[in-house]
């Protein structure tokens, strides 16, 4: 079966629910490119604005620059960028933030959600993972938000991206349930990531090499080697009560014989 044959007429939407501008491109950009190529409408959301991502500029100026970079990257796959405008380092699981997340899910009505691993090194990522999990479960309940309920709203397929370096906060490797071959779209993923010039520049100045893109390529190759392809992204599927348990990503991107 070819990828295109699986596209349903219902115009499926994927939401990458991440903490900071550039996280979607780092952790699941290749998968988003592949989904967009088979007709999925992509949405990239960040809970925080990226305001700590500069050594020299003010929080407001940094956030404004990073929002523009995120919009540029999203535009490469005709995706929509959303920012919930929390502060870097202070993403918490509380009522106001969860309400913002539920309302975002109401507007997007995603069939597929990609979010951070709850075993990530960075607490903003961990909190975003919990927020994404809670919002995905709640948003289709009629009374949970005053925003209209879009047709097709339901508990979506949900996957956790790799934590950074594929290890949990204690250094133990995370065992993926699902791999997506991104060999053919690795350079497009790199171009999306390169839109985040503010982050790439200071890492390049600090390391003296293009570490921003090099680290992404190293990780993609490491995951690729595990399934005998050039480059891959790895995920753990959320299969708890009420969530669809069939492996949608594996079904969408099963290699053609
Ligand atoms: Zn991040």
């Amino acid at each position: 079966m070819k990828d295109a044959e699986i596209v349903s007429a219902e115009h499926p939407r994927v939401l990458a629910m991440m903490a900071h501008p550039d996280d979607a491109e780092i952790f699941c950009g290749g998968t988003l490119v592949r989904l967009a190529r088979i007709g999925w409408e992509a949405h990239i959301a960040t809970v925080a604005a990226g305001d700590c991502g500069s050594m020299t500029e003010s929080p407001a100026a940094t956030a404004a620059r990073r929002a523009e970079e995120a919009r540029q990257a999203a535009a490469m796959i005709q995706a929509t960028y959303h920012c919930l405008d929390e502060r870097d380092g202070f993403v918490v699981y509380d009522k106001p933030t969860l309400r913002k997340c539920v309302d975002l899910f109401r507007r997007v009505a995603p069939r597929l959600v990609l979010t951070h691993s709850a075993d990530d090194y960075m607490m903003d990522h961990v909190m975003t993972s919990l927020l994404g999990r809670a919002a995905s479960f709640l948003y289709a309940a009629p009374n949970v938000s005053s925003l209209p309920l879009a047709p097709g709203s339901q508990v979506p397929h949900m996957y956790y991206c790799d934590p950074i370096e594929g290890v949990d906060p204690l250094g133990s490797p995370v065992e993926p349930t699902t791999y997506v071959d991104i060999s053919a779209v690795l350079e497009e993923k790199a171009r999306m990531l390169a839109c985040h010039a503010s982050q790439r520049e200071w890492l390049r100045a600090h390391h003296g090499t293009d570490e921003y893109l090099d680290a992404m390529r190293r990780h993609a190759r490491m995951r690729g080697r595990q399934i005998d392809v050039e480059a891959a992204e790895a995920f753990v599927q959320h299969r708890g009560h009420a969530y669809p348990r069939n492996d949608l990503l594996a079904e969408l991107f099963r290699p053609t014989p």
Side-chain angles (χ1 to χ4, degrees):
M1 190 180 284
K2 293 192 180 67
D3 286 352
E5 292 175 60
I6 302 173
V7 178
S8 80
E10 66 173 2
H11 200 43
R13 286 177 293 276
V14 55
L15 172 62
M17 173 84 205
M18 311 306 278
H20 310 110
D22 80 5
D23 283 335
E25 292 78 1
I26 290 169
F27 293 105
C28 58
T31 301
L32 292 175
V33 171
R34 289 201 67 185
L35 287 164
R37 284 190 181 179
I38 60 169
W40 283 62
E41 181 182 309
H43 292 258
I44 297 173
T46 67
V47 179
D51 48 290
C52 284
S54 171
M55 311 292 266
T56 53
E57 292 185 328
S58 71
T62 305
R65 181 170 180 192
R66 298 196 64 189
E68 185 50 38
E69 291 170 349
R71 278 191 287 272
Q72 282 174 15
M76 292 185 69
I77 55 168
Q78 289 78 51
T80 304
Y81 173 64
H82 311 260
C83 180
L84 300 186
D85 214 23
E86 294 297 313
R87 303 275 70 83
D88 279 12
F90 294 88
V91 174
V92 291
Y93 185 94
D94 64 2
K95 284 182 196 171
T97 316
L98 183 54
R99 281 194 204 289
K100 285 188 195 176
C101 292
V102 168
D103 286 350
L104 171 71
F105 274 65
R106 270 303 243 261
R107 292 196 296 275
V108 175
R111 183 174 155 200
L112 168 62
V113 173
L114 309 175
T115 189
H116 288 289
S117 169
D119 286 326
D120 200 284
Y121 80 108
M122 213 281 177
M123 286 307 292
D124 282 354
H125 295 186
V126 173
M127 292 293 122
T128 298
S129 182
L130 296 179
L131 290 161
R133 176 180 164 190
S136 66
F137 186 84
L138 284 175
Y139 89 94
N143 293 346
V144 79
S145 166
S146 58
L147 295 180
L149 197 54
S153 296
Q154 60 190 28
V155 178
H157 284 81
M158 191 168 79
Y159 290 85
Y160 301 111
C161 298
D162 252 343
I164 201 88
E165 297 173 358
V167 298
D168 72 15
L170 304 181
S172 301
V174 166
E175 195 65 42
T177 61
T178 306
Y179 290 81
V180 173
D181 178 358
I182 63 161
S183 308
V185 298
L186 182 63
E187 290 315 306
E188 191 163 355
K189 174 178 162 114
R191 282 193 292 276
M192 284 177 73
L193 187 54
C195 289
H196 297 274
S198 60
Q199 307 308 293
R200 187 183 182 192
E201 284 162 11
W202 82 257
L203 257 183
R204 190 152 44 185
H206 183 266
H207 281 63
T209 62
D210 200 355
E211 179 62 16
Y212 196 55
L213 299 190
D214 291 349
M216 179 278 285
R217 287 199 174 95
R218 272 199 308 275
H219 189 73
R221 286 197 202 99
M222 183 276 283
R223 286 305 193 196
R225 275 194 297 277
Q226 295 174 346
I227 57 165
D228 294 324
V229 301
E230 183 192 337
E233 287 170 348
F235 300 89
V236 173
Q237 186 177 6
H238 186 91
R239 292 191 172 122
H241 175 73
Y243 284 80
R245 289 176 180 167
N246 63 305
D247 191 342
L248 179 65
L249 285 177
E251 291 167 13
L252 287 170
F253 299 127
R254 191 166 285 143
T256 48

